[in-house]
Amino acid sequence: MTPWLALGLALVGGTVLFGLVGPLLVGDPDTIRDVGLQGPTGELWLGTTQTGQDVFAQLAHATRGSLQIGLLVGVLATVLSAFFGIYGAYLGGAADEAFSLLTNVFLVIPGLPLVIVISGFVPRESRGLWTIAVVLALTSWAASARVLRAQTLSVRQREYVAASRLAGERSWRVIVVEILPNLLPVLASQFVFAVIAAVLGEAGLSFLGLGASGSSTLGTMLFYAQNGFALPLGAWWWFAPPGLLIALFGTGLSLINFSIDEIVNPKLKNARLHRRRARQAAKAARREQR
């Protein structure tokens, strides 16, 4: 446990808790009142929109929607990268070459323009959470697959993996029991990164009006705030909270990802230990001087 990891867990845990419990404690976010663009009050903590809707209630429901998108994309992208990276590298031969070719094709395709094009061609009534999640996952798995392929090629040469293959173990059991445990830190880091990219990607799509229809996310809040001229009118309580929540959630996941990198990369861990020992030695030297 490091201070940065503790801060990241606190930010992510607070956001997740707010997304899970918040919608149960607030009213209907679509209720229209006759107090448009009212600032924060004791009753309405984050004021109202141009049509009198409670911004705090919208924020709670939008956070849950963004978390759902992030979780779906994280799981789908991790599964795709694990299949094409781990399974292809384990099989080797023509299967590995075919999977590598497909991965390279997805790597050279620009992600954001492709997502915008696909979302633009999908009819709005068919553009649900699952559709957006699949589109984002298809454009974010290739880089992780390359890393997993390189790690699998290294693990595959170890003695215990060769012994399991010579003993006649099935391929799926060798991958799950012998190879996959060595790649769990890498998979965890890639899952966290996929969630970050999904939340930011969905917010960008929704801000452009290409998000999931009939659903509330932090991106759709920013989209409606822009359409309602919240910034020119000075209604900071409408556009600042969703943007700040996206920033805090992304910062928390990034700090967790950096901490996982220290576990995966021994050089980073050793550097942190050396810095800690140097600080302790400096403190001890100052105490002796006193």
Side-chain angles (χ1 to χ4, degrees):
M1 180 62 68
T2 63
W4 294 119
L5 178 59
L7 179 59
L9 291 174
L11 291 175
V12 173
T15 306
V16 172
L17 184 64
F18 178 66
L20 294 177
V21 180
L24 304 177
L25 305 177
V26 298
D28 186 3
D30 297 325
T31 301
I32 297 177
R33 300 171 179 83
D34 57 354
V35 284
L37 289 183
Q38 178 180 341
T41 62
E43 182 181 357
L44 301 169
W45 291 357
L46 290 178
T48 61
T49 66
Q50 201 170 34
T51 54
Q53 296 167 319
D54 187 357
V55 175
F56 185 77
Q58 288 188 349
L59 187 66
H61 287 270
T63 302
R64 174 178 288 186
S66 292
L67 292 176
Q68 290 175 345
I69 285 283
L71 181 62
L72 287 175
V73 175
V75 171
L76 291 175
T78 304
V79 170
L80 287 174
S81 61
F83 176 77
F84 288 102
I86 300 176
Y87 187 64
Y90 175 80
L91 293 178
D96 185 28
E97 293 294 334
F99 285 177
S100 296
L101 177 61
L102 182 63
T103 302
N104 292 333
V105 170
F106 274 89
L107 273 176
V108 299
I109 296 176
L112 183 58
L114 179 61
V115 169
I116 294 175
V117 170
I118 295 176
S119 299
F121 275 99
V122 175
R124 182 170 180 80
E125 58 274 7
S126 303
R127 208 187 304 148
L129 283 178
W130 272 100
T131 305
I132 299 299
V134 170
V135 171
L136 291 173
L138 288 176
T139 57
S140 60
W141 63 270
S144 301
R146 296 295 296 177
V147 176
L148 289 173
R149 178 179 180 273
Q151 294 288 334
T152 305
L153 290 176
S154 174
V155 175
R156 190 182 64 174
Q157 306 300 325
R158 298 180 182 177
E159 291 79 4
Y160 56 86
V161 177
S164 298
R165 299 178 68 176
L166 290 175
E169 297 288 351
R170 296 183 178 181
S171 298
W172 66 267
R173 190 182 185 282
V174 176
I175 293 175
V176 173
V177 177
E178 306 294 345
I179 295 178
L180 195 59
N182 294 280
L183 304 179
L184 286 180
V186 182
L187 285 170
S189 177
Q190 292 175 351
F191 172 79
V192 172
F193 182 78
V195 174
I196 298 174
V199 173
L200 295 178
E202 187 279 330
L205 285 176
S206 297
F207 186 75
L208 296 175
L210 299 174
S213 61
S215 62
S216 178
T217 63
L218 297 173
T220 57
M221 281 194 68
L222 293 174
F223 172 74
Y224 288 121
Q226 180 200 29
N227 287 353
F229 302 101
L231 184 59
L233 295 175
W236 59 267
W237 57 86
W238 192 359
F239 63 85
L244 181 61
L245 200 58
I246 292 175
L248 292 177
F249 185 63
T251 301
L253 289 176
S254 299
L255 292 175
I256 294 175
N257 202 13
F258 294 153
S259 301
I260 295 176
D261 285 341
E262 288 188 352
I263 299 174
V264 177
N265 191 345
K267 294 182 179 179
L268 296 177
K269 184 177 181 180
N270 292 334
R272 179 169 58 85
L273 291 176
H274 288 318
R275 289 195 300 268
R276 180 185 299 175
R277 290 172 181 172
R279 288 194 298 267
Q280 292 175 351
K283 291 180 180 178
R286 286 195 297 267
R287 284 197 298 267
E288 291 179 358
Q289 291 177 357
R290 294 174 184 174

